[in-house]
Amino acid sequence: MANIKSAKKRIRVIDKKTARNRRVKDHLKTVLKEFDAAIEAGNMELAKEKLTLAEKKLMQAAAKHTIHKNAASRKVSRLTKRFNQANA
């Protein structure tokens, strides 16, 4: 346990950031699962909506440094590729 005031504050700050990051990542996983479910069901209109939502959420997470920007871009690229293959 920290004794110094600044160390105690850092612990509180880290706890808040960890909670926010966990919330964002959990939400991302949910959005990606919804996209996968739409693709599996063959519902391309819903899949297109979920793709745009997933792209938006991934880029927001990258902007806040929750995930790396290249990881977000890679995931968007793979999702778009899957959508286009399923749509063809």
Side-chain angles (χ1 to χ4, degrees), residues 22-41:
R22 189 172 290 137
R23 235 181 359 262
V24 169
K25 285 184 179 183
D26 286 346
H27 185 65
L28 275 176
K29 288 177 190 174
T30 303
V31 169
L32 295 177
K33 285 179 189 175
E34 289 172 354
F35 172 77
D36 290 339
I39 289 286
E40 291 296 320

PDB file of all heavy atoms in Angstrom, residues 22-41:
ATOM      1  N   ARG A  22     -11.696  -0.855 -19.678  1.00  0.00           N
ATOM      2  CA  ARG A  22     -12.411  -2.128 -19.649  1.00  0.00           C
ATOM      3  C   ARG A  22     -13.819  -1.964 -20.216  1.00  0.00           C
ATOM      4  O   ARG A  22     -14.299  -2.805 -20.985  1.00  0.00           O
ATOM      5  CB  ARG A  22     -12.464  -2.666 -18.223  1.00  0.00           C
ATOM      6  CG  ARG A  22     -13.000  -4.089 -18.153  1.00  0.00           C
ATOM      7  CD  ARG A  22     -12.857  -4.679 -16.771  1.00  0.00           C
ATOM      8  NE  ARG A  22     -11.444  -4.919 -16.477  1.00  0.00           N
ATOM      9  CZ  ARG A  22     -10.863  -4.630 -15.306  1.00  0.00           C
ATOM     10  NH1 ARG A  22     -11.563  -4.085 -14.339  1.00  0.00           N
ATOM     11  NH2 ARG A  22      -9.592  -4.885 -15.110  1.00  0.00           N
ATOM     12  N   ARG A  23     -14.487  -0.864 -19.847  1.00  0.00           N
ATOM     13  CA  ARG A  23     -15.824  -0.593 -20.359  1.00  0.00           C
ATOM     14  C   ARG A  23     -15.810  -0.448 -21.884  1.00  0.00           C
ATOM     15  O   ARG A  23     -16.654  -1.017 -22.583  1.00  0.00           O
ATOM     16  CB  ARG A  23     -16.355   0.699 -19.732  1.00  0.00           C
ATOM     17  CG  ARG A  23     -17.675   0.555 -19.053  1.00  0.00           C
ATOM     18  CD  ARG A  23     -18.252   1.824 -18.448  1.00  0.00           C
ATOM     19  NE  ARG A  23     -17.515   3.052 -18.530  1.00  0.00           N
ATOM     20  CZ  ARG A  23     -16.746   3.550 -17.554  1.00  0.00           C
ATOM     21  NH1 ARG A  23     -16.611   2.911 -16.410  1.00  0.00           N
ATOM     22  NH2 ARG A  23     -16.117   4.692 -17.702  1.00  0.00           N
ATOM     23  N   VAL A  24     -14.832   0.302 -22.394  1.00  0.00           N
ATOM     24  CA  VAL A  24     -14.739   0.529 -23.840  1.00  0.00           C
ATOM     25  C   VAL A  24     -14.460  -0.780 -24.567  1.00  0.00           C
ATOM     26  O   VAL A  24     -15.099  -1.089 -25.582  1.00  0.00           O
ATOM     27  CB  VAL A  24     -13.635   1.575 -24.153  1.00  0.00           C
ATOM     28  CG1 VAL A  24     -13.342   1.637 -25.636  1.00  0.00           C
ATOM     29  CG2 VAL A  24     -14.051   2.940 -23.633  1.00  0.00           C
ATOM     30  N   LYS A  25     -13.545  -1.589 -24.047  1.00  0.00           N
ATOM     31  CA  LYS A  25     -13.209  -2.859 -24.695  1.00  0.00           C
ATOM     32  C   LYS A  25     -14.383  -3.831 -24.662  1.00  0.00           C
ATOM     33  O   LYS A  25     -14.639  -4.550 -25.639  1.00  0.00           O
ATOM     34  CB  LYS A  25     -11.982  -3.488 -24.039  1.00  0.00           C
ATOM     35  CG  LYS A  25     -10.690  -2.785 -24.419  1.00  0.00           C
ATOM     36  CD  LYS A  25      -9.496  -3.491 -23.825  1.00  0.00           C
ATOM     37  CE  LYS A  25      -8.205  -2.815 -24.222  1.00  0.00           C
ATOM     38  NZ  LYS A  25      -7.019  -3.518 -23.711  1.00  0.00           N
ATOM     39  N   ASP A  26     -15.109  -3.856 -23.558  1.00  0.00           N
ATOM     40  CA  ASP A  26     -16.292  -4.715 -23.473  1.00  0.00           C
ATOM     41  C   ASP A  26     -17.334  -4.292 -24.508  1.00  0.00           C
ATOM     42  O   ASP A  26     -17.953  -5.133 -25.164  1.00  0.00           O
ATOM     43  CB  ASP A  26     -16.902  -4.672 -22.073  1.00  0.00           C
ATOM     44  CG  ASP A  26     -16.091  -5.434 -21.046  1.00  0.00           C
ATOM     45  OD1 ASP A  26     -15.202  -6.212 -21.455  1.00  0.00           O
ATOM     46  OD2 ASP A  26     -16.340  -5.244 -19.839  1.00  0.00           O
ATOM     47  N   HIS A  27     -17.513  -2.994 -24.642  1.00  0.00           N
ATOM     48  CA  HIS A  27     -18.473  -2.490 -25.621  1.00  0.00           C
ATOM     49  C   HIS A  27     -18.032  -2.837 -27.048  1.00  0.00           C
ATOM     50  O   HIS A  27     -18.856  -3.209 -27.885  1.00  0.00           O
ATOM     51  CB  HIS A  27     -18.657  -0.981 -25.467  1.00  0.00           C
ATOM     52  CG  HIS A  27     -19.714  -0.420 -26.342  1.00  0.00           C
ATOM     53  ND1 HIS A  27     -21.039  -0.745 -26.219  1.00  0.00           N
ATOM     54  CD2 HIS A  27     -19.643   0.440 -27.389  1.00  0.00           C
ATOM     55  CE1 HIS A  27     -21.736  -0.105 -27.156  1.00  0.00           C
ATOM     56  NE2 HIS A  27     -20.904   0.624 -27.865  1.00  0.00           N
ATOM     57  N   LEU A  28     -16.731  -2.722 -27.312  1.00  0.00           N
ATOM     58  CA  LEU A  28     -16.206  -3.085 -28.631  1.00  0.00           C
ATOM     59  C   LEU A  28     -16.488  -4.546 -28.949  1.00  0.00           C
ATOM     60  O   LEU A  28     -16.906  -4.885 -30.063  1.00  0.00           O
ATOM     61  CB  LEU A  28     -14.689  -2.851 -28.682  1.00  0.00           C
ATOM     62  CG  LEU A  28     -14.199  -1.460 -29.022  1.00  0.00           C
ATOM     63  CD1 LEU A  28     -12.688  -1.398 -28.941  1.00  0.00           C
ATOM     64  CD2 LEU A  28     -14.664  -1.044 -30.393  1.00  0.00           C
ATOM     65  N   LYS A  29     -16.253  -5.412 -27.977  1.00  0.00           N
ATOM     66  CA  LYS A  29     -16.499  -6.844 -28.191  1.00  0.00           C
ATOM     67  C   LYS A  29     -17.962  -7.097 -28.513  1.00  0.00           C
ATOM     68  O   LYS A  29     -18.287  -7.909 -29.386  1.00  0.00           O
ATOM     69  CB  LYS A  29     -16.078  -7.644 -26.959  1.00  0.00           C
ATOM     70  CG  LYS A  29     -14.578  -7.730 -26.779  1.00  0.00           C
ATOM     71  CD  LYS A  29     -14.232  -8.470 -25.503  1.00  0.00           C
ATOM     72  CE  LYS A  29     -12.741  -8.348 -25.199  1.00  0.00           C
ATOM     73  NZ  LYS A  29     -12.399  -8.924 -23.900  1.00  0.00           N
ATOM     74  N   THR A  30     -18.852  -6.397 -27.830  1.00  0.00           N
ATOM     75  CA  THR A  30     -20.286  -6.557 -28.070  1.00  0.00           C
ATOM     76  C   THR A  30     -20.641  -6.115 -29.489  1.00  0.00           C
ATOM     77  O   THR A  30     -21.377  -6.817 -30.201  1.00  0.00           O
ATOM     78  CB  THR A  30     -21.092  -5.723 -27.058  1.00  0.00           C
ATOM     79  OG1 THR A  30     -20.719  -6.119 -25.739  1.00  0.00           O
ATOM     80  CG2 THR A  30     -22.581  -5.919 -27.246  1.00  0.00           C
ATOM     81  N   VAL A  31     -20.113  -4.990 -29.919  1.00  0.00           N
ATOM     82  CA  VAL A  31     -20.401  -4.476 -31.258  1.00  0.00           C
ATOM     83  C   VAL A  31     -19.881  -5.440 -32.320  1.00  0.00           C
ATOM     84  O   VAL A  31     -20.566  -5.718 -33.316  1.00  0.00           O
ATOM     85  CB  VAL A  31     -19.784  -3.065 -31.441  1.00  0.00           C
ATOM     86  CG1 VAL A  31     -19.837  -2.625 -32.886  1.00  0.00           C
ATOM     87  CG2 VAL A  31     -20.489  -2.064 -30.556  1.00  0.00           C
ATOM     88  N   LEU A  32     -18.688  -5.983 -32.107  1.00  0.00           N
ATOM     89  CA  LEU A  32     -18.105  -6.911 -33.080  1.00  0.00           C
ATOM     90  C   LEU A  32     -18.905  -8.210 -33.138  1.00  0.00           C
ATOM     91  O   LEU A  32     -19.091  -8.787 -34.217  1.00  0.00           O
ATOM     92  CB  LEU A  32     -16.642  -7.188 -32.741  1.00  0.00           C
ATOM     93  CG  LEU A  32     -15.706  -5.976 -32.844  1.00  0.00           C
ATOM     94  CD1 LEU A  32     -14.295  -6.333 -32.418  1.00  0.00           C
ATOM     95  CD2 LEU A  32     -15.714  -5.394 -34.239  1.00  0.00           C
ATOM     96  N   LYS A  33     -19.387  -8.677 -31.997  1.00  0.00           N
ATOM     97  CA  LYS A  33     -20.215  -9.888 -31.980  1.00  0.00           C
ATOM     98  C   LYS A  33     -21.527  -9.658 -32.713  1.00  0.00           C
ATOM     99  O   LYS A  33     -22.026 -10.556 -33.412  1.00  0.00           O
ATOM    100  CB  LYS A  33     -20.496 -10.327 -30.541  1.00  0.00           C
ATOM    101  CG  LYS A  33     -19.310 -10.988 -29.872  1.00  0.00           C
ATOM    102  CD  LYS A  33     -19.655 -11.370 -28.440  1.00  0.00           C
ATOM    103  CE  LYS A  33     -18.413 -11.829 -27.696  1.00  0.00           C
ATOM    104  NZ  LYS A  33     -18.694 -12.088 -26.279  1.00  0.00           N
ATOM    105  N   GLU A  34     -22.106  -8.467 -32.560  1.00  0.00           N
ATOM    106  CA  GLU A  34     -23.345  -8.150 -33.267  1.00  0.00           C
ATOM    107  C   GLU A  34     -23.112  -8.134 -34.777  1.00  0.00           C
ATOM    108  O   GLU A  34     -23.959  -8.607 -35.544  1.00  0.00           O
ATOM    109  CB  GLU A  34     -23.894  -6.802 -32.800  1.00  0.00           C
ATOM    110  CG  GLU A  34     -24.454  -6.827 -31.398  1.00  0.00           C
ATOM    111  CD  GLU A  34     -24.817  -5.451 -30.870  1.00  0.00           C
ATOM    112  OE1 GLU A  34     -24.534  -4.437 -31.561  1.00  0.00           O
ATOM    113  OE2 GLU A  34     -25.378  -5.375 -29.764  1.00  0.00           O
ATOM    114  N   PHE A  35     -21.956  -7.626 -35.197  1.00  0.00           N
ATOM    115  CA  PHE A  35     -21.613  -7.637 -36.622  1.00  0.00           C
ATOM    116  C   PHE A  35     -21.476  -9.069 -37.118  1.00  0.00           C
ATOM    117  O   PHE A  35     -22.012  -9.431 -38.176  1.00  0.00           O
ATOM    118  CB  PHE A  35     -20.307  -6.857 -36.866  1.00  0.00           C
ATOM    119  CG  PHE A  35     -19.796  -6.976 -38.274  1.00  0.00           C
ATOM    120  CD1 PHE A  35     -20.389  -6.244 -39.299  1.00  0.00           C
ATOM    121  CD2 PHE A  35     -18.732  -7.809 -38.586  1.00  0.00           C
ATOM    122  CE1 PHE A  35     -19.929  -6.355 -40.609  1.00  0.00           C
ATOM    123  CE2 PHE A  35     -18.273  -7.912 -39.883  1.00  0.00           C
ATOM    124  CZ  PHE A  35     -18.869  -7.195 -40.896  1.00  0.00           C
ATOM    125  N   ASP A  36     -20.777  -9.908 -36.356  1.00  0.00           N
ATOM    126  CA  ASP A  36     -20.605 -11.311 -36.733  1.00  0.00           C
ATOM    127  C   ASP A  36     -21.948 -12.022 -36.851  1.00  0.00           C
ATOM    128  O   ASP A  36     -22.177 -12.795 -37.783  1.00  0.00           O
ATOM    129  CB  ASP A  36     -19.731 -12.049 -35.710  1.00  0.00           C
ATOM    130  CG  ASP A  36     -18.279 -11.599 -35.765  1.00  0.00           C
ATOM    131  OD1 ASP A  36     -17.863 -11.041 -36.810  1.00  0.00           O
ATOM    132  OD2 ASP A  36     -17.559 -11.800 -34.764  1.00  0.00           O
ATOM    133  N   ALA A  37     -22.838 -11.747 -35.904  1.00  0.00           N
ATOM    134  CA  ALA A  37     -24.156 -12.384 -35.918  1.00  0.00           C
ATOM    135  C   ALA A  37     -24.950 -11.960 -37.152  1.00  0.00           C
ATOM    136  O   ALA A  37     -25.640 -12.787 -37.768  1.00  0.00           O
ATOM    137  CB  ALA A  37     -24.917 -12.035 -34.647  1.00  0.00           C
ATOM    138  N   ALA A  38     -24.854 -10.700 -37.532  1.00  0.00           N
ATOM    139  CA  ALA A  38     -25.568 -10.205 -38.711  1.00  0.00           C
ATOM    140  C   ALA A  38     -25.025 -10.850 -39.982  1.00  0.00           C
ATOM    141  O   ALA A  38     -25.794 -11.205 -40.886  1.00  0.00           O
ATOM    142  CB  ALA A  38     -25.469  -8.684 -38.790  1.00  0.00           C
ATOM    143  N   ILE A  39     -23.707 -11.023 -40.048  1.00  0.00           N
ATOM    144  CA  ILE A  39     -23.088 -11.667 -41.219  1.00  0.00           C
ATOM    145  C   ILE A  39     -23.532 -13.127 -41.299  1.00  0.00           C
ATOM    146  O   ILE A  39     -23.892 -13.629 -42.366  1.00  0.00           O
ATOM    147  CB  ILE A  39     -21.541 -11.571 -41.141  1.00  0.00           C
ATOM    148  CG1 ILE A  39     -21.077 -10.135 -41.378  1.00  0.00           C
ATOM    149  CG2 ILE A  39     -20.878 -12.513 -42.141  1.00  0.00           C
ATOM    150  CD1 ILE A  39     -21.146  -9.651 -42.797  1.00  0.00           C
ATOM    151  N   GLU A  40     -23.502 -13.820 -40.162  1.00  0.00           N
ATOM    152  CA  GLU A  40     -23.895 -15.233 -40.123  1.00  0.00           C
ATOM    153  C   GLU A  40     -25.355 -15.409 -40.528  1.00  0.00           C
ATOM    154  O   GLU A  40     -25.707 -16.382 -41.187  1.00  0.00           O
ATOM    155  CB  GLU A  40     -23.677 -15.814 -38.723  1.00  0.00           C
ATOM    156  CG  GLU A  40     -22.224 -15.966 -38.327  1.00  0.00           C
ATOM    157  CD  GLU A  40     -21.461 -16.951 -39.204  1.00  0.00           C
ATOM    158  OE1 GLU A  40     -22.036 -18.002 -39.559  1.00  0.00           O
ATOM    159  OE2 GLU A  40     -20.309 -16.652 -39.552  1.00  0.00           O
ATOM    160  N   ALA A  41     -26.207 -14.482 -40.121  1.00  0.00           N
ATOM    161  CA  ALA A  41     -27.630 -14.565 -40.453  1.00  0.00           C
ATOM    162  C   ALA A  41     -27.896 -14.173 -41.906  1.00  0.00           C
ATOM    163  O   ALA A  41     -28.982 -14.430 -42.424  1.00  0.00           O
ATOM    164  CB  ALA A  41     -28.433 -13.665 -39.516  1.00  0.00           C
TER     165      ALA A  41
END
